[in-house]
Amino acid sequence: MTTFRPTIRSYSWRHFDPVILVAALALTGYGALVIYSATLPRDATGVVISEPVIRHIAVAGTGVIAMLFAARTNYRLLDTFSWFAYGFGIILLVAVFFLGSDRFSANRWFDLGFVTVQASEMAKVLTIVALAKFMSDRRDQMHTARVFLQSLGLAALPAALVFIEPDLGGAVMFFVIWAVMAAFAGARLRAFAILATAVLALVPFGLITGVSEYQRDRVRIFIDPSRDELGTGFNVLQAETSVGAGGIFGKGLTEGTQTQLDFLQTQQTDFIFSVLGEELGFVGAMVLFALFLLLIFRLLRAILKAPDTLGQLIIAGIATMVTVQAFVAVGVNIRLVPVTGVPLPFISVGNSALLVLFVALGIVQSVLLRQDER
């Protein structure tokens, strides 16, 4: 069992990975550019910087400071306070039912007046910390059914609370993060196979009793959006049209007809990739993917340099969170996955999500700064 020893430990800023910071800032800047176009007033003349753009940039600046602070803080403190962090995440997810604001028929956000905070975004990172603590302490036992299911239970509790909000996409994220971390910690493929078989057997029952009607509608629209072209299928069809209309080089920033004529709802959040696809085209999308691949590659590299299992598992969880959210958010716009409400990391409007991402990267940097402490 690993414990944090409160001794003075050496760390070196020469191990700080500037590529992670540059990739994150480049993605954030790219996001600001797309948000600028997505929120440009129709009657605007010249450059008009909207409030969402200003907030995006301001939160990014705050995020860099938070990232450096997190990097300076010894990540092994998380070993001691992981269960407090996990408990705080659960409290947030429960509190949002009573204190949260209702937006888009879901209670997911705390409205603080000057900013809205999405509870599930914070809970994801706090759950990653708790899972890393649990699995690093029991890595030699992850092959046992008891420890395997206990670790699953740690992810299932916040996932269930997020599902009730309702946010099916966010709930699934917790299970994907858990699965990757559990596999990394030594869980056996046979255990995953048995679990997958059980889940598949329960799917029909879950669709009947556990899934709301609007979530079933999302699956139906994903299969055939033309069944409700002017209703729930409208955004899906318009997103496909936007991405397809962009061609190789796009129509030009602020020149997309789908975007500028407001055919898309939530075009600065769930469907922001369609804005990028229409106005910047295939080339613009490839630039986006290249930046994500650079960031993900550096996160995978950081796993190899982590001095202990705790650090490795934390980075593995964070890398999974970024990778899967990027894939799902893009997939929604090209009908690879149903509409889920998962934001495109660093790109979509979402102040709390952006800040949490920078803090998460700061934890990664904290592990790297202490890689000599093997």
Side-chain angles (χ1 to χ4, degrees):
M1 183 174 182
T2 60
T3 56
F4 172 70
R5 291 173 292 176
T7 59
I8 298 176
R9 290 178 177 271
S10 61
Y11 64 94
S12 175
W13 284 98
R14 66 186 174 86
H15 293 312
F16 184 89
D17 190 341
V19 178
I20 290 178
L21 176 58
V22 170
L25 287 176
L27 283 165
T28 305
Y30 207 14
L33 194 67
V34 181
I35 293 169
Y36 164 76
S37 180
T39 58
L40 188 68
R42 190 180 300 181
D43 57 352
T45 56
V47 177
V48 179
I49 306 298
S50 63
E51 183 183 358
V53 177
I54 296 173
R55 283 180 178 268
H56 193 74
I57 295 172
V59 171
T62 305
V64 172
I65 296 173
M67 177 184 184
L68 295 175
F69 179 79
R72 170 65 177 78
T73 305
N74 196 327
Y75 73 95
R76 291 187 179 90
L77 285 169
L78 299 175
D79 188 291
T80 301
F81 297 105
S82 59
W83 299 121
F84 293 100
Y86 180 76
F88 179 66
I90 298 300
I91 290 172
L92 286 177
L93 292 176
V94 173
V96 78
F97 292 117
F98 304 98
L99 304 176
S101 59
D102 190 336
R103 299 171 60 191
F104 308 112
S105 301
N107 281 321
R108 304 177 190 173
W109 297 267
F110 293 107
D111 188 351
L112 304 182
F114 61 95
V115 68
T116 56
V117 177
Q118 189 167 354
S120 61
E121 294 300 323
M122 297 179 64
K124 284 175 191 173
V125 175
L126 298 176
T127 301
I128 286 172
V129 169
L131 287 171
K133 162 67 174 174
F134 181 88
M135 293 178 183
S136 63
D137 285 349
R138 299 165 179 80
R139 189 161 190 174
D140 293 339
Q141 306 170 53
M142 279 299 296
H143 63 280
T144 65
R146 178 178 61 84
V147 174
F148 179 80
L149 293 175
Q150 285 175 344
S151 69
L152 174 59
L154 287 176
L157 177 56
L161 292 172
V162 171
F163 178 78
I164 296 171
E165 289 180 355
D167 182 4
L168 178 59
V172 171
M173 279 296 304
F174 283 90
F175 288 115
V176 175
I177 291 169
W178 163 80
V180 173
M181 293 180 69
F184 190 87
R188 291 178 176 174
L189 181 61
R190 180 171 175 268
F192 287 110
I194 294 173
L195 179 64
T197 302
V199 170
L200 288 174
L202 292 173
V203 164
F205 176 77
L207 289 175
I208 295 173
T209 62
V211 178
S212 64
E213 185 61 30
Y214 105 95
Q215 289 170 331
R216 283 193 284 268
D217 282 342
R218 283 190 169 185
V219 175
R220 298 187 191 107
I221 292 303
F222 167 67
I223 296 172
D224 182 18
S226 62
R227 66 186 297 159
D228 190 8
E229 295 182 357
L230 300 179
T232 52
F234 183 79
N235 272 343
V236 175
L237 293 172
Q238 295 301 322
E240 282 189 294
T241 300
S242 297
V243 174
I248 300 297
F249 299 104
K251 295 181 178 180
L253 191 68
T254 74
E255 299 297 327
T257 53
Q258 297 290 111
T259 299
Q260 303 308 322
L261 296 178
D262 297 327
F263 281 102
L264 278 170
Q265 299 173 356
T266 64
Q267 62 186 19
Q268 64 201 51
T269 52
D270 295 1
F271 292 98
I272 197 165
F273 180 75
S274 65
V275 177
L276 187 152
E278 181 184 25
E279 299 190 345
L280 302 178
F282 177 79
V283 172
M286 289 301 103
V287 171
L288 177 73
F289 298 156
L291 289 172
F292 271 120
L293 286 174
L294 175 62
L295 176 60
I296 293 165
F297 171 77
R298 299 301 287 196
L299 292 176
L300 295 177
R301 174 180 175 272
I303 295 175
L304 301 177
K305 293 184 173 294
D308 55 22
T309 303
L310 177 68
Q312 291 173 340
L313 285 169
I314 289 174
I315 299 175
I318 292 171
T320 302
M321 180 180 71
V322 173
T323 304
V324 176
Q325 285 192 180
F327 174 81
V328 171
V330 171
V332 164
N333 287 258
I334 55 178
R335 209 149 64 87
L336 283 178
V337 296
V339 176
T340 60
V342 173
L344 183 56
F346 302 102
I347 307 296
S348 296
V349 168
N351 300 327
S352 57
L354 182 58
L355 185 59
V356 166
L357 282 168
F358 274 103
V359 171
L361 295 182
I363 297 173
V364 173
Q365 297 284 15
S366 177
V367 176
L368 288 173
L369 294 186
R370 292 159 180 84
Q371 63 184 265
D372 291 335
E373 301 173 11
R374 296 179 183 275

